[in-house]
Amino acid sequence: MENPIRINVFKNGDHSKSCVLSLSKSSSFSELMETLACKLDMSTVQIMYNKQGARVLDVDVLRDDDTVYVGSSLTELFAGCNGLARTRNQDFITLNIGGVHVTTTKDTLTKKEPGSMLATMFSQSEDNQWFSRVDQTGAYLIDRPAKYFLPILNYLRHGQLIIDDSVNPAGVLEEAKFFGITSIQPRLEQLVQLNVKPTDYTPLTRHQISLSLMTTPSNCELRCQGLNFSGADLSKLDLRNINFKYANLSDTNLAGANLSHVNFERADLSNSCLDGANMMAVKLVCAQLEGASMKGCNFEDPSGSRANMEGANLKEVNLEGSHMAGVNLRVATLKNSNLRNCDLRGAILAGSNLENCDLSGCDLLDANLRGANLEGCAFAMMLSALHMSQTLKS
């Protein structure tokens, strides 16, 4: 007579619903299933798998101390066994992203972006537990497109943003916004902008103007009239003699650039940075410069040529410390501007609006202020006395 064997049985992989059964090898498989249904309080037992994942169809394949998992349906059994696997190995998680199965770790989803939706979904905190439906294999179901989600998952794994040429960065950006992955969004926004097909109105870049500069002699006029350079970084470039008439240079960085003899007539330079730029004999007639920063600019040309800023809008411009001797600012608007410590000797300010300007420490020797609006101006520590006769100077 054969000795009975002992098997460990789990109902749908649940530790709380298990039993140890003594089994005679002479028993039939159907008898075993009926016995298990009775022991585990189940209406019926239809399937059995061993711990290696193979389906058991015969009593003869069972050995002493084997572990098996039983269930009334394949869905219930797989879901339960996956739950058991998650209990045993809390680090790894399988996601079903739009039909694509991906295995990763909780640390990957929670550590790099602890404030993201993914971190909240898979946090081990009892206050942040998230419950989701699972598929037949127990993978968490997430209804998002996999091709846009996978670059984000790889970024969370190693910190590098890698996107295949066939994947649109705009789609990845939308997934980053949806899941709250904030650290990657600025880079994705840059890629989206680079991916936009250029039009006739797309702003030109530093690279494009650099190529033009390399093929144009410095004493020749490069025609950029009416072009859009908005937001470009043109700092420290040699831009002498270029015609930027009517051009859009708003928010452009021109700090330290050589702008000698440049024509900015009626150009838009609002909110641009021109700190330390060389602006000898520059032409800024009726140009829009509101909110620009022009600290430490040099407008003085040793040859005697004068910068022309007649009629320019210089509201709230910072010109502190600029050398502006002889500059033509006739009927220009400088309301609320900072002209501290500027050299304005011989400058033409006739008819200009200097309301609330800070002229502290300025040198206004021989400056023409006839008809200028000086209401609210600050004149502290001026280098030369301001005589009333200057307002009558022709």
Side-chain angles (χ1 to χ4, degrees), residues 100-351:
V100 177
H101 286 75
V102 178
T103 300
T104 185
T105 65
K106 280 190 176 181
D107 281 352
T108 296
L109 299 174
T110 60
K111 296 297 184 182
K112 189 173 185 64
E113 292 275 353
S116 68
M117 181 190 296
L118 286 173
T120 301
M121 289 162 64
F122 297 102
S123 172
Q124 295 183 356
S125 170
E126 294 182 0
D127 296 332
N128 278 331
Q129 285 189 350
W130 174 76
F131 300 94
S132 171
R133 291 185 177 181
V134 295
D135 62 14
Q136 291 183 347
T137 65
Y140 288 106
L141 288 165
I142 299 179
D143 185 22
R144 305 298 296 182
K147 71 174 183 177
Y148 298 135
F149 176 82
L150 292 179
I152 294 175
L153 180 59
N154 287 329
Y155 169 76
L156 294 175
R157 284 169 169 160
H158 49 61
Q160 299 296 319
L161 178 60
I162 301 172
I163 302 178
D164 291 340
D165 293 339
S166 60
V167 178
N168 191 334
V172 182
L173 176 60
E174 288 304 310
E175 295 307 299
K177 291 179 178 178
F178 179 82
F179 288 106
I181 312 299
T182 56
S183 62
I184 200 178
Q185 291 180 26
R187 175 60 178 150
L188 285 169
E189 289 170 352
Q190 292 177 358
L191 291 176
V192 170
Q193 290 298 319
L194 292 173
N195 207 39
V196 175
K197 292 183 179 180
T199 67
D200 291 342
Y201 301 99
T202 301
L204 298 175
T205 64
R206 182 187 182 93
H207 176 69
Q208 290 170 311
I209 197 169
S210 296
L211 292 176
S212 298
L213 290 171
M214 287 188 289
T215 57
T216 305
S218 61
N219 59 345
C220 294
E221 182 184 278
L222 181 63
R223 294 185 294 276
C224 295
Q225 182 170 330
L227 297 182
N228 185 4
F229 295 92
S230 178
D233 181 5
L234 306 179
S235 59
K236 300 181 180 180
L237 291 179
D238 185 353
L239 303 173
R240 285 175 293 170
N241 303 307
I242 294 181
N243 180 7
F244 284 114
K245 187 176 182 179
Y246 296 109
N248 180 3
L249 292 131
S250 58
D251 300 295
T252 300
N253 183 7
L254 289 158
N258 187 349
L259 304 173
S260 299
H261 301 277
V262 169
N263 183 2
F264 285 117
E265 183 178 349
R266 299 185 186 277
D268 184 359
L269 287 148
S270 55
N271 300 308
S272 291
C273 178
L274 297 97
D275 294 343
N278 189 353
M279 306 186 74
M280 293 187 298
V282 70
K283 187 175 183 180
L284 284 158
V285 176
C286 297
Q288 172 62 260
L289 287 141
E290 185 170 352
S293 179
M294 304 175 72
K295 293 184 292 184
C297 288
N298 179 33
F299 293 85
E300 296 184 40
D301 187 353
S303 66
S305 298
R306 295 190 175 190
N308 189 354
M309 303 170 75
E310 184 171 345
N313 180 5
L314 293 154
K315 286 182 181 178
E316 300 182 357
V317 168
N318 188 352
L319 284 155
E320 184 172 354
S322 292
H323 300 280
M324 306 176 70
V327 169
N328 181 5
L329 285 161
R330 189 186 304 272
V331 299
T333 301
L334 292 114
K335 185 176 180 179
N336 300 318
S337 291
N338 178 7
L339 284 83
R340 291 173 63 90
N341 303 316
C342 284
D343 182 356
L344 288 161
R345 290 171 299 160
I348 302 173
L349 291 156

